[in-house]
Amino acid sequence: MTPGYASAIGVVLTAVMGTVLFGEFLGTVQIIGIGAIVVGVLLVELGSHPRERSPEATA
């Protein structure tokens, strides 16, 4: 199974390659949007793993 952050990397690479290959312009709003996608995906990924409990907490 592919990790969730791979989708965020795909978004970033698509935007960067569009800028490099086709001369597309990335404005401030687009850069903020890409950052929001990356942060959102990372938060979902971190939240999807249950926290491990220490032995003291279960006693």
Side-chain angles (χ1 to χ4, degrees):
M1 184 176 241
T2 306
Y5 58 83
S7 62
I9 292 172
V11 169
V12 172
L13 286 178
T14 300
V16 169
M17 294 307 288
T19 301
V20 171
L21 295 176
F22 304 116
E24 292 286 324
F25 175 74
L26 284 179
T28 305
V29 174
Q30 287 92 347
I31 293 171
I32 292 171
I34 291 169
I37 291 170
V38 170
V39 169
V41 168
L42 291 176
L43 288 174
V44 168
E45 185 70 22
L46 290 173
S48 67
H49 301 292
R51 288 184 15 179
E52 294 183 22
R53 294 182 176 219
S54 64
E56 298 87 31
T58 58

